[in-house]
Amino acid sequence: MTSKNSHRHLLGIEGMPETEIVDLLDLGDSYLERYRGAAPIEQVLQGRTQINLFFEDSTRTRTSFELAGKRLGANVINMTVSSSSIKKGETLIDTAMTLNAMRPDVLVIRHSAAGAAALLAQKVDCAVINAGDGRHEHPTQALLDALTIRRRKGRIAGLIVAICGDIMHSRVARSNIHLLNTLGAQVRVVAPPTLLPAQIERLGVSAHNDMREGLKDADIVMMLRLQTERMEGAFVPSTREYFQFYGLDADKLAYAKDDALTMHPGPMNRGVEIDTSVADDIDRSAIREQVELGVAVRMACLDALCCQGSNSRGGS
Amino acid sequence: MSAGRRVAYVNARLLDPATGFDEQGALLTVGGEIAELGASLFADGVPDGTKVVDCAGACLSPGLIDVHVFLGEALETTALAAAAGGVTTIVVQPDMDPVLDQVAMVDYMNRRGLEAPINVHAMAAATKAFAGEQMTEIGMLTEAGALAFTDSRKPIADANVLRRLLTYASTYNALIVQHVEEPSLARDGCANEGEVATRLGLPDIPPAAEVIMLERDIRLVELAGGKYHAAQLSTAAAFEAVRKAKSAGLPITCGTTPAHFALNELAIEEYRTFAKISPPLRSEDDRKATVEAIADGTVDVIVSAHDPHDEDSKRLPFTLAAPGIVGLETMLPLALEIHHGGHAPLLRVLGAMTCGPADLLGLPAGRLREHAPADLVIFDPDTPRRLDSALLHSKAKNSPFDGRPVQGEVVLTVVGGESVFERGE
């Protein structure tokens, strides 16, 4: 079976060949250059329909995908399936099959259950992009993170990347682990033991409970949000204890390299996982770039999936 | 069935796990009972007036007794599936709507069972509405015919409630059957804790949730008395605890299912919901320990945990899909894998599906013996084939074993002397 990401869908980074990842990064790069330079962008999705099917609330990711599609000329439709629709009993599959009958070209789906995007992809005729499925993967986030790193550092191979925070519940962490490992980075995860998933080392990372140790000589410090809405029980005693031991402040950041970059997929909980001054430090923080690159990377993904075979590089 | 109807099963490999008997021979049923059997029976031919069934060298064993079946679809199709699987007695779970916790419902179940081609019994709830608080009318339910007491898919979590149940049930010699999983550790988990669940991003359950509850329950049995059966065990640690308890002479028994000895957690990759069950599929080490536990007799019964689900409840994201597998028709060939793989003798494997469950619940069937019910299965143990879910007789087809190469096929199933299934139907 060909990579689940080649030709039809972008469901996850796990298993994606390095060449495919690099191609998407290169394409994202060129889209970024295009619209930063206010150059015209070839409307490769002219006449195509993109439906953003979000079962989980997310203004930022949805807007990012919407902008990406519109910049390429697509008709973009947003569907936020509120919990009341689910209460009416329509299942994920029913919703998808209904939409499928309207013949979209691409479905972008975000859902709270792992595997939802893959399930959908089995049942619809169009391309499917996973915008986040439970704790499983968020491939476009990892791609934009990688592009951010590559642009700032010139490479990914050999860098020490520390991913810090609620690893257990994080799809951003999982996608990033797969991608960074594939591109040759050295990946660490830093979290209290209650927020590390079982056997996480088997995914090719070293696990740390001591943040100072975990950040030592790191080139990239990637902070994750403490995801209170995904926690049922008490994983950490309080946000203030969490901030003291696992929050990124100047003191802990000093253990990383002097030119280490700080990143965060957003939205940030200032004072919980990241100190406000660290977040706003324009020299070290790449957080705003991540947002900007997000649109470019999503343009690349939409282009690659919808225009398979055609050699679009964002215009002449 | 006309009392006195005589049927002779000849050229059979007679297998009686209860006595260890394994020889070529013949068996005679008269009416609904076994009349005679042996290597030399009908050596000089079968007298007139007796119907002859030539088994052509196939195995003839007591019909299988499956003590963990969910009635998720109509009894008619479940009974068909059972007959096709060589299962001549099923004991259904009280997990119904409403929960089977009243005498009237046991009566109803027994009456409905009489209409079925196979034998149908029921377990009743241990606590009212499975709420885990008040015990059900153990005495009256036992008299009405409930064979054991269980909260089915739910563990009896409160130690004091379980203690009282064990104490009270002992008066009626009633068996308490537990779903062995510490709920506060399991929570909303749906997969075995470990690398597979981590990669898939699934909420997980530590394997220790099983042995932690089991060891607690064993201490309660020591304290309170009574008989206790662990419904489905799946971990090495739990089997070890059972071994210890048995050698200390405690009335602890246990069961397991084919999925737990034939598959490991890798089967859920790509979010295959047909492999979602409770307890979840485990590591390869635990799977091997399950096979060993069957081989050394630690496992008293193999059950199918037959749990029909329609497409809609499985065609969902993994965390939302209903757990459960249909298993009545696949239990025998999958159990035979343990024998074909050289892990256990044939009689041991068969025993866990015949005299084992019969002894657990005090049923007269499950053995080839004079006056025992004429519940038989004739099966070919060797011919290779591929399991095909489309051919299942149950309405539901939720089985992870579709396409699996197996050896072993039911040729004929007999209940009370009557044929209820013939290969090719």
Side-chain angles (χ1 to χ4, degrees), chain A residues 14 91-93 97 111 113-116 119 123 133 135-136 174 178 197-200 202-203 232-233, chain B residues 187-188 193-204 270-271 311-312 314-320:
Chain A
E14 189 176 10
T91 64
L92 167 66
I93 300 290
M97 309 255 284
H111 196 285
L119 182 62
K123 308 288 182 189
D133 62 331
R135 305 178 193 179
H136 179 229
R174 283 173 178 76
H178 295 309
Q199 298 182 343
I200 187 67
R202 300 228 191 137
L203 270 62
E232 254 104 87
Chain B
R187 302 179 86 231
D188 60 352
E193 190 179 271
E195 185 184 344
V196 175
T198 292
R199 281 182 188 273
L200 293 174
L202 291 172
D204 48 18
E270 293 173 29
Y271 303 102
E311 264 206 41
D312 283 343
K314 284 289 192 179
R315 208 175 54 157
L316 290 170
F318 198 89
T319 46
L320 302 172

Side-chain angles (χ1 to χ4, degrees), chain B residues 78-98:
Chain B
T78 300
L80 253 175
V87 176
T88 51
T89 299
I90 60 172
V91 181
V92 303
Q93 289 285 299
D95 180 48
M96 298 174 189
D97 184 15

Side-chain angles (χ1 to χ4, degrees), chain B residues 398-420:
Chain B
N398 52 307
S399 169
F401 299 111
D402 193 27
R404 188 184 180 102
V406 295
Q407 287 175 277
E409 196 172 24
V410 170
V411 176
L412 182 70
T413 307
V414 174
V415 175
E418 293 268 17
S419 156
V420 295

Side-chain angles (χ1 to χ4, degrees), chain A residues 204-253:
Chain A
V205 303
S206 62
H208 302 263
N209 301 128
D210 182 330
M211 192 167 183
R212 290 177 177 81
E213 233 180 65
L215 292 189
K216 192 161 193 322
D217 298 330
D219 296 288
I220 310 283
V221 181
M222 203 182 274
M223 300 306 298
L224 301 174
R225 189 164 129 257
L226 191 65
Q227 306 182 332
T228 41
E229 83 266 13
R230 289 212 184 98
M231 291 195 236
E232 254 104 87
F235 290 84
V236 295
S238 66
T239 49
R240 107 178 146 168
E241 171 140 323
Y242 183 81
F243 184 66
Q244 171 153 336
F245 294 95
Y246 295 97
L248 185 65
D249 51 23
D251 174 55
K252 296 192 197 82
L253 185 55

